[in-house]
Amino acid sequence: MIDEVQYAPELFSYLKIVANREKINGLFWPTGSQKFHLMQGITESFA
């Protein structure tokens, strides 16, 4: 579990690569509160 993940946007690329490679549901649980002013630099999505 990674809480307040929005404060470490550099993790998203790594988490996405590992999640796609391992294909294990629930491997990571990124949580946090959305702060719209912090969303400006987000380029990754888990969608």
Side-chain angles (χ1 to χ4, degrees):
M1 181 174 284
I2 305 168
D3 193 21
E4 298 298 337
V5 70
Q6 74 274 10
Y7 292 114
E10 64 277 2
L11 289 178
F12 285 100
S13 295
Y14 170 76
L15 296 177
K16 186 175 179 181
I17 290 167
V18 174
N20 286 336
R21 183 182 64 214
E22 299 299 324
K23 300 191 185 315
I24 300 171
N25 291 338
L27 185 61
F28 299 110
W29 289 35
T31 66
S33 55
Q34 185 177 19
K35 307 258 188 223
F36 289 107
H37 65 277
L38 294 174
M39 299 298 289
Q40 293 174 9
I42 300 297
T43 58
E44 293 292 330
S45 169
F46 288 120

